[in-house]
Amino acid sequence: MSRAAGPWRLVERDGVWYVTGTEDGRWFRRSTKTGDKREALAIMKDWQKEPKKMVRHDAPVTFDDLAEALENRYRINGHRAVASMQDRVNHLRAAFGDKIATDITAVDCERYMASRMGPPARASKATVRYEMTLLRLALRLRGIPRPDVKLPDVSDNARTGFLEPEQRERVLALLPDDVRPLATALALMGWRPAEVNGLRWRDIDFKRGVVRVEAEHVKNREAKEWPIGSHPRLLALFQDQRKRALRYGVARPDCFVFFRTGRDGAPEWPDQLWTPVVETIRKDGTVRRLGGKPRTTGIPSFRKCWKAACKKAGVPGTLVYDLKRSTVRDLEASGIPRKVAMTITGHRTEAIYRRYHIVNDADQRAAVAKLAVTQQMGMDRGSEAVGAGD
C-alpha cells in the first residue's frame, strides 16, 4: 500500500490498485483498472486535479438510513436481539437523529458517551460500548468513515453475585405461588432464564426423564438436555406443574410450562403464540404500537415480585441471573468434574464457566483449613521419620 499526500491513498486488492480517500466529507473508492503501481499512482495524481468528480453527490445519508442498514443486517444474519438493538438505536437517535451521517465526529461520540453514563441515565459502560459499536457498524455498512474514538473499557464487567443455599430458599419461599416453580427450576438447573422460561410441554420427556431445549433457543446455538429424572426435587416440580397445567387446560405440546394466573384465576396467555398488541398515543399525536410479536417466554416478567422477595429475605439487589452462578457453585462444591458440569449448565468454554464460579471468604477459609490439616499431617509424618532415624 502506498500513501499519497493528503487524504487519498492507493490500496491493492486482488492484483488491482484502487484509490480511496475522503472528499467533501464523503468516503470513496475507485478502481484504476491496472495492476501496475506506478501507472496507478500517475492516474491518482491526474484525478487529484479534479477531486470533486471522485464523489457522487447523492442524497446525504441520514440517521434513519443508518438505522435501516443496521436492522437489515441483523435480520439477514438471523440475530435474535433485534428488539434490543432497536431500543439502543432509539437512544442513539435522540442524540444523532438530526445529523447527517458524515457529520458525526469523535467529539460528538465522546459527548454522547459522557451524557449516557452521567445522570439521569447512568448507563453502564457495557451498555454505552454496545451502543457505540452499533453506531460504528451502521456507518461501516453505509461506507462512511468511522470516528476515531476510544470506547469504554469493560474488562472488569464480570458480575460476582450469588446466593447461599439458605438465602436462596428464603427468597423462593417469599415469591408468589405461580412464580415460585420457575424460580426454583432456575435455581436447580443452572440454565439461562430465557431458556427455562421458554420451555414448552413438547420439550419435556417424562419417559426418558429429560428436559431438552433446541439449538434455536440457546445462546450458543447448541441443543442441550437436563436429566430431571435423576433429580427428585426437580422431577417433582415438573410433575406438579404438569398437573397444574392439566387443571387449567393448558397442557398442549405448544403451551408454555410456566405461566401466571390473573386476578380472575385464569392463566395469562399460556397458549397464545403472539404477544398482545398495545397501542399508546405519543405527545406528538403519533401512535406507538407494542406487541404483536412471537412469544418466547411463558411469564413475561417477574422482576417486581423478585425484587420484593429479595428485599424481604435480606438480600436486596440480587439478580435473577445470580441463580445461575449459585448453581455453578453447587456443582463445584459437589465435586462434579468440570467437563460434566459444563454440559449441565451449557457453557461451551471453561473460561466462561470459571466466571460463574464465585469464590467468597468462607470458601477460602475452608480451603485454608483443609490445607492446614494436610500440611500438619505431612509434618507429623516427617517428624516420625526423623525420630525413627535417630
Side-chain angles (χ1 to χ4, degrees):
M1 178 169 46
S2 174
R3 294 182 181 273
W8 293 26
R9 62 179 180 175
L10 283 176
V11 178
E12 190 269 336
R13 289 189 177 181
D14 299 328
V16 178
W17 288 95
Y18 291 79
V19 178
T20 68
T22 56
E23 189 64 39
D24 288 342
R26 297 171 183 268
W27 180 85
F28 67 87
R29 181 176 64 200
R30 186 172 174 183
S31 173
T32 62
K33 300 181 180 179
T34 180
D36 186 273
K37 185 176 179 180
R38 291 185 178 181
E39 184 179 350
L41 185 60
I43 293 174
M44 184 178 69
K45 290 181 178 179
D46 289 339
W47 287 349
Q48 285 179 325
K49 297 176 183 178
E50 297 182 289
K52 300 294 183 183
K53 294 183 179 181
M54 298 299 296
V55 181
R56 297 187 309 171
H57 290 275
D58 300 329
V61 178
T62 65
F63 185 85
D64 288 338
D65 296 328
L66 296 179
E68 181 184 6
L70 197 59
E71 183 167 346
N72 289 340
R73 173 56 61 90
Y74 263 60
R75 296 193 184 281
I76 290 172
N77 290 346
H79 282 292
R80 291 177 296 173
V82 175
S84 175
M85 179 273 295
Q86 292 173 335
D87 183 52
R88 299 299 147 209
V89 167
N90 288 336
H91 289 289
L92 292 168
R93 180 178 280 107
F96 304 107
D98 58 346
K99 283 183 172 290
I100 301 300
T102 53
D103 293 340
I104 298 176
T105 65
V107 174
D108 295 328
C109 294
E110 291 174 353
R111 188 180 295 118
Y112 172 80
M113 290 189 291
S115 173
R116 284 284 286 145
M117 295 174 67
R122 298 193 184 279
S124 67
K125 291 189 292 184
T127 297
V128 175
R129 184 184 180 92
Y130 176 39
E131 292 170 356
M132 291 308 303
T133 301
L134 288 176
L135 177 62
R136 290 165 60 84
L137 173 59
L139 291 170
R140 183 172 67 83
L141 290 174
R142 294 307 302 261
I144 299 172
R146 293 165 290 178
D148 186 13
V149 59
K150 185 177 180 180
L151 302 181
D153 180 21
V154 295
S155 57
D156 59 345
N157 194 45
R159 297 187 182 274
T160 58
F162 66 92
L163 288 172
E164 295 289 359
E166 60 275 8
Q167 295 173 331
R168 186 168 53 203
E169 295 301 325
R170 220 165 36 236
V171 172
L172 294 176
L174 292 169
L175 288 171
D177 293 340
D178 49 4
V179 174
R180 190 179 304 117
L182 171 59
T184 303
L186 290 170
L188 298 178
M189 297 177 70
W191 281 4
R192 296 179 181 87
E195 295 168 355
V196 180
N197 200 359
L199 288 174
R200 301 175 189 263
W201 286 117
R202 60 171 176 255
D203 303 321
I204 315 299
D205 189 342
F206 285 108
K207 291 183 179 180
R208 292 180 55 219
V210 297
V211 173
R212 178 179 174 84
V213 60
E214 299 299 334
E216 61 195 61
H217 303 302
V218 182
K219 185 177 180 180
N220 59 19
R221 300 293 186 177
E222 289 184 0
K224 57 186 181 182
E225 293 184 347
W226 215 103
I228 59 174
S230 302
H231 196 296
R233 182 179 178 184
L234 201 53
L235 178 60
L237 183 149
F238 278 98
Q239 289 174 340
D240 291 342
Q241 196 67 10
R242 179 67 176 178
K243 294 176 183 177
R244 179 169 175 255
L246 290 170
R247 186 167 64 250
Y248 284 108
V250 288
R252 295 187 301 278
D254 60 339
C255 291
F256 289 100
V257 174
F258 301 102
F259 59 92
R260 300 193 70 170
T261 52
R263 295 180 179 178
D264 58 353
E268 292 182 343
W269 319 306
D271 56 347
Q272 292 185 8
L273 303 181
W274 299 82
T275 57
V277 176
V278 179
E279 293 184 350
T280 58
I281 307 298
R282 297 189 180 96
K283 292 182 180 180
D284 59 1
T286 58
V287 178
R288 183 187 185 191
R289 188 175 185 272
L290 300 175
K293 299 179 179 179
R295 293 189 61 207
T296 57
T297 57
I299 299 178
S301 175
F302 59 98
R303 186 177 300 173
K304 289 184 178 179
C305 63
W306 172 264
K307 185 177 179 180
C310 290
K311 187 175 181 180
K312 288 183 181 179
V315 285
T318 302
L319 305 176
V320 174
Y321 217 92
D322 291 340
L323 294 173
K324 184 176 177 67
R325 281 179 278 274
S326 302
T327 306
V328 172
R329 281 174 52 82
D330 292 342
L331 289 167
E332 289 289 317
S334 301
I336 298 173
R338 186 164 290 180
K339 289 286 186 182
V340 178
M342 288 170 58
T343 64
I344 294 175
T345 59
H347 289 108
R348 182 181 293 177
T349 63
E350 190 169 336
I352 297 298
Y353 178 86
R354 287 198 302 268
R355 290 183 63 182
Y356 284 80
H357 180 213
I358 311 301
V359 178
N360 63 358
D361 293 340
D363 297 328
Q364 292 179 334
R365 285 194 294 270
V368 170
K370 291 180 180 179
L371 175 64
V373 171
T374 302
Q375 292 174 337
Q376 185 62 46
M377 292 174 62
M379 292 172 63
D380 292 342
R381 286 195 299 269
S383 298
E384 292 174 1
V386 172
D390 293 341

